[in-house]
């Protein structure tokens, strides 16, 4: 049995770093293992303009402990008022790597997202022209659509029409959770479409969240689906297919907001992401393709070089769950994702 595995240093193509005390607490957890991350713009208020992204980037770099290196890849939050020229300038200066589309109301802090897709046509056309990717939270928000169906319906009602109307637009379907989403990606071969997959959607199905008691730390959006969908995602992740890569969607919330009457959506996976993924790939007999998923396919899609250095994972005795990390007194601790099974792989410090 393989006991150590050395791979190019991974990147996280979908990450929530927040701001202030939470940023300072969670950033080292990512920077310890990952060289770069696509940083989500869903702050309150959201990161909409190039100037706001530049200021957020400065705050992230200021929060990085001395001695650590990390490159935040910034995104802009697409609104119906977004100015195509501002987006193009932020791209041309190298500041932003992608634009993020949230259908209004789809997930945490998405109220300023898009309702009327005709209103963002100008921005999308310009992005197609300049080759700037659109990262998409792919769920419809219509109240009549069941929460478990929101991703599949989004593909037919929104994503496919938008892609047809904007030829050449490069799209990343973020955090795909269904067989339908996986199959939609597999059916396109123009190199314009890719998908990220999270740790929790590779490890858990909705039974893990709902059977034998409700587990708030497994509640995230898009919500966990049935086991057949999880199996389809694992197949995609371990296949080595360059259209699929890691986006942890690590989304920290204070423990008191998770263990609450109305639980906030999001799983804080960053500290254990690589241990979890090594477990998934080992179980599937695909450890040799972990590197493609975590370290090669993402940069290739975004037109960036893979990282030059490596990390080593070691298999050993099962590690105890990490519990919580501390922030400040006002925020309180944040619970680290625990998949509920023994994790034997860890990144060698
Ligand atoms: N999903 N929570 C959050 C974002 C994601 O859809 C997402 O990207 C969050 O807390 O920002 C979540 O469950
Ligand atoms: Zn999302
Ligand atoms: Zn997210």
């Amino acid at each position: 049995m393989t006991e150590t595995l050395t791979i190019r240093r991974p990147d996280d193509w979908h990450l929530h770093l927040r701001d202030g005390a939470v940023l300072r607490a969670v950033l080292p957890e990512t920077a310890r293992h990952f060289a770069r991350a696509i940083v989500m713009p869903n702050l309150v208020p959201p990161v909409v303009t190039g100037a706001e992204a530049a200021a957020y980037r400065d705050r992230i770099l200021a929060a990085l402990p001395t001695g650590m290196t990390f490159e935040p890849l910034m995104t802009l939050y697409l609104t119906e008022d977004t100015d195509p020229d501002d987006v193009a300038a932020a791209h041309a200066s190298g500041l932003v790597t992608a634009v993020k589309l949230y259908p209004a109301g789809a997930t945490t802090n998405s109220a300023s997202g898009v309702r009327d897709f005709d209103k963002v046509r100008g921005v999308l056309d310009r992005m197609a022209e300049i080759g700037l990717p659109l990262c998409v939270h792919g769920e419809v928000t219509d109240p009549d659509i069941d929460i478990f169906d929101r991703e599949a319906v989004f593909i037919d009602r929104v994503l496919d029409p938008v892609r047809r109307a904007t030829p050449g637009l490069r799209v990343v379907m973020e955090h795909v959770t269904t067989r339908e989403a996986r199959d939609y990606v597999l059916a396109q071969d123009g190199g314009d479409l890719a998908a990220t997959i999270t740790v929790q959607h590779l490890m858990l199905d909705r039974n893990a969240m709902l059977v034998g008691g409700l587990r708030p730390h497994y509640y995230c959006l898009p919500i966990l689906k049935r086991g057949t969908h999880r199996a389809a995602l694992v197949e995609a992740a371990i296949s080595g297919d360059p259209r699929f890569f890691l986006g942890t969607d690590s989304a920290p919330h204070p423990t008191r907001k998770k263990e609450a009457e109305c639980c906030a959506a999001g799983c804080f996976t960053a500290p254990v992401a690589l241990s979890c993924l090594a477990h998934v790939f080992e179980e599937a007999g695909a450890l040799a393709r972990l590197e493609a998923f975590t370290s090669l396919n993402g940069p290739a899609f975004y037109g960036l070089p893979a990282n030059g250095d490596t990390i080593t994972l070691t298999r050993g005795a099962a590690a105890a769950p990490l519990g919580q990390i501390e922030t400040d007194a006002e925020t309180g601790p944040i619970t680290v994702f625990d998949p509920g099974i023994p994790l034997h792989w860890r990144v060698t410090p």
Side-chain angles (χ1 to χ4, degrees), residues 241-292:
D241 187 315
R243 293 170 288 190
F244 298 97
F245 42 88
L246 173 63
T248 65
D249 199 9
S250 180
H253 290 279
T255 299
R256 62 179 172 74
K257 291 200 174 168
K258 294 290 296 175
E259 297 174 5
E261 189 178 22
C262 182
C263 161
C267 302
F268 176 47
T269 53
V272 289
L274 294 169
S275 298
C276 288
L277 291 170
H279 174 93
V280 170
F281 277 68
E282 178 181 51
E283 208 174 39
L287 270 179
R289 287 190 294 275
L290 180 64
E291 182 182 46

Side-chain angles (χ1 to χ4, degrees), residues 137-204:
H137 180 107
E139 288 190 293
V140 293
T141 54
D142 319 36
D144 58 315
I145 304 294
D146 188 272
I147 188 166
F148 290 100
D149 300 331
R150 288 179 171 196
E151 181 173 284
V153 173
F154 181 88
I155 295 168
D156 295 338
R157 283 199 194 164
V158 182
L159 182 61
D160 197 59
V162 165
R163 291 187 63 242
R164 284 176 196 279
T166 324
L169 181 65
R170 310 199 73 225
V171 172
V172 183
M173 291 174 75
E174 297 296 320
H175 49 52
V176 290
T177 65
T178 57
R179 174 181 293 272
E180 287 88 341
R182 181 203 68 171
D183 290 347
Y184 182 74
V185 174
L186 288 175
Q188 326 290 315
D189 52 13
D192 288 342
L193 184 67
T196 58
I197 309 179
T198 78
V199 172
Q200 68 268 22
H201 292 98
L202 289 173
M203 292 199 94
L204 305 176

Side-chain angles (χ1 to χ4, degrees), residues 38-41 47-48 74-79 82-84 86-88 90-91 96-102 114 120 123-124 127 130 132-137 169-172 174 302:
I38 290 266
V39 180
M40 287 295 132
V47 179
V48 174
M74 306 309 293
T75 58
L76 299 178
Y77 186 120
L78 182 62
T79 72
T82 292
D83 171 8
D86 182 58
V87 171
H91 172 63
V96 306
T97 303
V99 170
K100 179 70 195 238
L101 166 68
Y102 292 99
V114 175
V120 294
V123 183
L124 298 184
M127 288 171 59
I130 63 181
L132 178 58
L134 181 71
C135 294
V136 177
H137 180 107
L169 181 65
R170 310 199 73 225
V171 172
V172 183
E174 297 296 320
Y302 278 98

Side-chain angles (χ1 to χ4, degrees), residues 59-138:
R59 297 200 296 283
I60 294 167
L61 292 175
L64 191 64
T66 27
M68 286 189 129
T69 53
F70 175 71
E71 187 185 351
L73 304 172
M74 306 309 293
T75 58
L76 299 178
Y77 186 120
L78 182 62
T79 72
E80 294 179 357
D81 301 318
T82 292
D83 171 8
D85 291 336
D86 182 58
V87 171
H91 172 63
S93 72
L95 173 67
V96 306
T97 303
V99 170
K100 179 70 195 238
L101 166 68
Y102 292 99
T107 186
T108 310
N109 303 334
S110 59
S112 324
V114 175
R115 271 165 235 281
D116 178 356
F117 283 82
D118 289 336
K119 297 206 172 127
V120 294
R121 177 125 318 285
V123 183
L124 298 184
D125 286 341
R126 181 72 79 86
M127 288 171 59
E129 217 175 283
I130 63 181
L132 178 58
L134 181 71
C135 294
V136 177
H137 180 107

